[in-house]
Structure formats: C-alpha cells, structure tokens
Amino acid sequence: KHMHMTGIPLAISEEAREFANHALAFMKKNGRTVSFDTNLRPSLWSSQKEMVKHINEAAFQADYVLPGIAEGEILTGFKDPRDIASFYLDKGVKLVVIKLGGAGAFYKTKSEEGTVPGFKVEKIIDTVGAGDGFAVGVISGLLDGLNIKEAVIRGNAIGSLAVQAPGDNDGYPTKDKLLTYIEKNFQGVK
C-alpha cells in the first residue's frame, strides 16, 4: 500500500541506488503511495552536486517529501519553507512537510499550508531518531486517515519524545501513550 524510503540507500552504492529507483518505479506504476525523507548524508557522496541530483530525482517520484529545513535549502537553493515546498510541489509531489526542529514543522500542498508548533522539551538527551520518529508519526497519521495537520502533530510528538530518550528509537511511544502525550502537551491550536 505504501513505501517509505530515505536518501541513504541512494548514497550507499550504485546497486543500492538502482534498487531504490526500481522500488520507487514499481510503487508508482502500481498506484501506491511513496514517502521520502531526504536524510542527507554528504559524507557518503562524492560531491554535493551528485547528492542533490540523485536525492531530488527520487524526491520528485514521491507523493510526500519530508526534508529538514537545512536539507531543503541544500536541495533547492531556497531558505523559506514555502519556497522549498513549492519547488517539490511544482515537480508533482502532493505534500511537502519540512522539519523545523523545536519550532515544529511546515506543511504545504497545492491547496493548503500551515505551520504546526513543536512540543516543548525540557531536556534533550539524544537527537538520533527524531527525524525518523517524525516521519513515522506523519506517515502513520496519513495512513490512519488523519488530516495533514493532525498527522504533522503526531510527527512532532514522536520526534519530541525521541529526543528525550537515548538511542534511535527508545523514546517511540505506543499508540495509547502517544495520544495521551499529545492531549497533555500540544500547545497549538487544535
């Protein structure tokens, strides 16, 4: 039904990139949705130019693209989240959600856009896994039938829980814990 991928397989080797592109083409040919977290790892690439080319080629095939704000600037040349999102929307992407760190996330489609505030975190223990947690929240929210804003709230919640625990997924909640956390801690307009 849905495939989520990151930019890392595109950087590992030519064979991994070929397989990733095959998987993307297969999903699109069969009418399935694809989400793509750009997840830039410049040290795995021979040049920034090559990285930008291959990451964007994959992103243009996705339905949902989830870059961080700094990644979006590298990939598009734009600093403003609206411009970064428009860059991908103009290439056929349906939804762009840009991670803004503690400030939350910006989302945009052809017909709607908004910024969803982040969750207040008193003490950051480890940031590893926050981006993946964010993606888990957004994508699972969309697949569960939440609207975009609700899905981004879920993503922000899981990302904020991730940074409050060591390791890459130790802070990820159960669904019940997640719902309680959002209810108690979301400060944005519901």
Side-chain angles (χ1 to χ4, degrees), residues 13-120:
S13 67
E14 184 64 35
E15 293 81 12
R17 184 166 42 251
E18 286 176 14
F19 178 76
N21 287 324
H22 171 77
L24 282 167
F26 174 85
M27 293 299 286
K28 298 308 287 182
K29 177 182 173 189
N30 288 286
R32 307 222 172 104
T33 55
V34 173
S35 54
F36 183 69
D37 183 342
T38 55
N39 216 339
L40 299 185
R41 297 293 185 266
S43 63
L44 297 177
W45 293 94
S46 63
S47 71
Q48 181 168 311
K49 182 178 178 181
E50 180 188 29
M51 176 181 72
V52 169
K53 175 186 181 291
H54 289 292
I55 295 291
N56 279 335
E57 285 174 355
F60 297 159
Q61 296 179 64
D63 298 283
Y64 319 130
V65 176
L66 298 94
I69 186 70
E71 293 173 325
E73 184 176 347
I74 291 168
L75 293 167
T76 69
F78 297 111
K79 291 181 185 258
D80 185 274
R82 281 181 182 84
D83 295 330
I84 293 167
S86 292
F87 175 86
Y88 290 107
L89 294 172
D90 289 345
K91 299 292 185 179
V93 173
K94 294 178 179 84
L95 167 66
V96 181
V97 184
I98 301 170
K99 297 168 272 190
L100 305 174
F106 172 81
Y107 66 89
K108 186 173 181 181
T109 69
K110 288 285 188 187
S111 61
E112 67 178 293
E113 67 178 61
T115 300
V116 177
F119 287 73
K120 186 175 183 179

Side-chain angles (χ1 to χ4, degrees), residues 6-7 13 23-24 48 90 103 106 109 123 129 136 161 164 176 178:
T6 76
S13 67
L24 282 167
Q48 181 168 311
D90 289 345
F106 172 81
T109 69
K123 183 177 180 186
V136 165
L161 286 165
Q164 296 178 66
D176 287 340
L178 174 63

Side-chain angles (χ1 to χ4, degrees), residues 4 52 64 93 104-105 144 153-154 156:
H4 178 70
V52 169
Y64 319 130
V93 173
D144 281 350
I153 292 168
R154 184 185 280 190
N156 285 347

